[in-house]
Amino acid sequence: MGLADDDGVASLSLRRLAALLHVTPMALYRHVKDKDDLLDGLVQRLLSEVDLAGDDGADLRSIVSAVLRVLRQHPTLAEIVPTRSMRTRAGIDLAEKVVGLLREEGHSPVDAAQLSIFLLDAVIGLVTRQPGELAVADPTLRRAMLAEKRKTLQDLEPEAYPNLTTSAEFFLGVPDEETYFSNGLAILLNATRPIR
Amino acid sequence: MGLADDDGVASLSLRRLAALLHVTPMALYRHVKDKDDLLDGLVQRLLSEVDLAGDDGADLRSIVSAVLRVLRQHPTLAEIVPTRSMRTRAGIDLAEKVVGLLREEGHSPVDAAQLSIFLLDAVIGLVTRQPGELAVADPTLRRAMLAEKRKTLQDLEPEAYPNLTTSAEFFLGVPDEETYFSNGLAILLNATRPIR
DNA sequence: ACCTGAACACCGTTCAAGT
DNA sequence: ACCTGAACACCGTTCAAGT
């Protein structure tokens, strides 16, 4: 987990992990079936930090924002959660809770299931797609990529791209992180309101 | 693109592509800066299929569903779009259009920008996270993973997991694809409605 | 302009063997 | 039970060299 947090999930390899533990790569296979199993374990560990029995599970808003809180502490790990959550106990417990709360709001079994997938996916999107936060560990490369993006946006002719030039600052980095995330939460929860 | 469509974007390597073209891996570097550049090119090609000037750009619903239509033809490629869209001309044009339409609906520059990122991210989520559609190319492995998921869901005790057992069928595969996607679109567009 | 050959520094994983 | 050594089949990428 530390490895992923520090250098990004992309650079988390069995070989690097083994080196960190002063052990050969093959030694890990005694503790983990394969790399997928390792990643599943990380997701389990992450999602188990959400305390469904306590305040986190009070209502839809508090549970989604609890997930957000946990993800923000491990932004690089966030991206591996969506496809793996249901492969872990903690993910299944979370889904049970969220589907249940959606049912209580009057959604059908199918709608509640679809909305639960949407909610988890979208709250992760808030973290992984936060403007200005590229998932690149190397700080000099990061800066270079952001500078490149700044240049592309600044080079847009305002006549052809009036809206992007007006909103350019936001795409390069949110003005305020807390506002960004609370807005994001509002958008997500808004999506669960009945349409008709 | 064919390589990614057939075997998944994970198995798209410069070396495999080179072999397919009967050429050494190094020959590709004359046409592409590196692998990132290749993937950016794929996203450009994909997103340029959305015809912003025509009917696709009429309103928010038609543009988002146009993106969905394109993504559904290349489901495995969908996952690389979010982080790369703004690195391509087509992605920038798409963003300009979407932000513009959101501004017309009365959203502020910052809100419109955040919502545009959300919309593109979430419509991609509909494709990449479609229940029953694991992004695994190998058909026998696919079946095995789905069978495993079926087993986990069926083994849940109904007393402890009443909601997941009720919605289990959906998590294993959507009852009707068209309903799934039109519901998904409705959820997304619902999120853009004013909150207050 | 376009391609090749050889090499480097990485991956995940299997298999047999050690203590 | 836990770890090692050697090997296999892959990666992306650099550098020098060919036509």
Side-chain angles (χ1 to χ4, degrees):
Chain A
M1 199 159 217
L3 241 171
D5 286 341
D6 292 345
D7 297 350
V9 75
S11 68
L12 196 173
S13 73
L14 291 176
R15 297 182 104 107
R16 276 197 68 186
L17 178 59
L20 199 79
L21 303 172
H22 303 105
V23 108
T24 63
M26 293 45 89
L28 300 177
Y29 283 83
R30 186 67 35 180
H31 307 275
V32 113
K33 192 179 158 288
D34 52 19
K35 197 183 178 182
D36 262 330
D37 193 29
L38 176 71
L39 296 180
D40 286 350
L42 284 173
V43 172
Q44 159 66 26
R45 202 185 170 98
L46 201 72
L47 293 183
S48 63
E49 286 179 35
V50 182
D51 175 28
L52 297 175
D55 294 345
D56 288 358
D59 61 0
L60 212 49
R61 152 160 248 110
S62 54
I63 207 169
V64 176
S65 74
V67 173
L68 179 59
R69 200 184 321 124
V70 171
L71 291 171
R72 286 180 69 185
Q73 276 158 275
H74 308 278
T76 174
L77 239 32
E79 69 183 49
I80 69 165
V81 174
T83 51
R84 303 188 120 88
S85 64
M86 290 291 269
R87 297 168 60 89
T88 71
R89 191 89 257 158
I92 286 174
D93 290 348
L94 174 62
E96 169 66 22
K97 190 86 190 176
V98 172
V99 173
L101 290 168
L102 286 164
R103 293 300 311 278
E104 283 176 26
E105 289 193 0
H107 294 284
S108 73
V110 164
D111 283 0
Q114 177 158 3
L115 278 168
S116 75
I117 296 174
F118 163 80
L119 279 177
L120 188 57
D121 193 44
V123 76
I124 284 160
L126 291 181
V127 177
T128 56
R129 310 236 35 244
Q130 181 185 339
E133 293 295 311
L134 316 182
V136 177
D138 184 59
T140 51
L141 182 60
R142 253 183 71 101
R143 238 190 308 277
M145 291 181 68
L146 234 123
E148 196 195 319
K149 185 162 189 180
R150 166 163 286 116
K151 202 181 174 315
T152 342
L153 280 170
Q154 283 176 342
D155 286 358
L156 296 178
E157 320 83 60
E159 311 83 43
Y161 297 92
N163 298 296
L164 281 192
T165 43
T166 304
S167 296
E169 276 311 308
F170 181 86
F171 284 102
L172 294 167
V174 299
D176 177 62
E177 270 207 351
E178 296 312 318
T179 311
Y180 166 74
F181 283 114
S182 70
N183 267 351
L185 273 183
I187 292 169
L188 301 198
L189 295 168
N190 197 25
T192 72
R193 294 189 308 169
I195 299 170
R196 296 157 285 280
Chain B
M1 199 158 219
L3 241 172
D5 287 341
D6 292 345
D7 297 350
V9 76
S11 68
L12 197 173
S13 73
L14 291 175
R15 296 182 105 107
R16 275 198 68 185
L17 178 59
L20 199 79
L21 302 172
H22 303 106
V23 109
T24 64
M26 294 45 91
L28 300 178
Y29 282 82
R30 188 65 35 179
H31 306 276
V32 115
K33 190 179 160 290
D34 52 20
K35 197 183 177 181
D36 262 331
D37 193 29
L38 176 71
L39 296 179
D40 286 350
L42 284 173
V43 172
Q44 160 65 24
R45 203 185 168 95
L46 200 70
L47 293 182
S48 63
E49 284 180 35
V50 181
D51 175 29
L52 298 175
D55 293 345
D56 288 357
D59 61 1
L60 212 49
R61 153 160 247 111
S62 55
I63 207 169
V64 175
S65 74
V67 173
L68 179 60
R69 200 184 321 125
V70 170
L71 291 171
R72 287 179 70 186
Q73 276 158 276
H74 308 277
T76 175
L77 240 32
E79 70 183 49
I80 69 166
V81 174
T83 52
R84 302 189 121 90
S85 64
M86 291 291 268
R87 297 167 59 89
T88 70
R89 190 89 259 159
I92 286 174
D93 290 347
L94 174 62
E96 168 67 21
K97 189 85 192 180
V98 171
V99 173
L101 289 169
L102 286 163
R103 293 299 312 277
E104 282 176 26
E105 289 194 0
H107 294 283
S108 74
V110 164
D111 284 359
Q114 178 158 4
L115 278 168
S116 75
I117 296 174
F118 162 80
L119 279 176
L120 188 56
D121 194 43
V123 75
I124 285 161
L126 291 181
V127 177
T128 57
R129 312 235 35 245
Q130 181 185 340
E133 293 295 311
L134 317 182
V136 177
D138 184 58
T140 51
L141 181 58
R142 253 184 71 100
R143 238 190 308 275
M145 291 181 69
L146 234 125
E148 196 194 319
K149 185 161 190 184
R150 166 163 286 117
K151 200 180 173 319
T152 346
L153 280 170
Q154 282 176 341
D155 286 358
L156 296 177
E157 320 84 60
E159 310 83 43
Y161 298 92
N163 299 296
L164 281 192
T165 42
T166 304
S167 297
E169 276 311 308
F170 181 86
F171 285 102
L172 294 167
V174 299
D176 177 63
E177 271 207 350
E178 297 312 318
T179 311
Y180 166 75
F181 283 114
S182 69
N183 268 349
L185 273 182
I187 291 169
L188 301 198
L189 295 167
N190 197 25
T192 72
R193 293 190 308 169
I195 299 169
R196 299 157 284 281

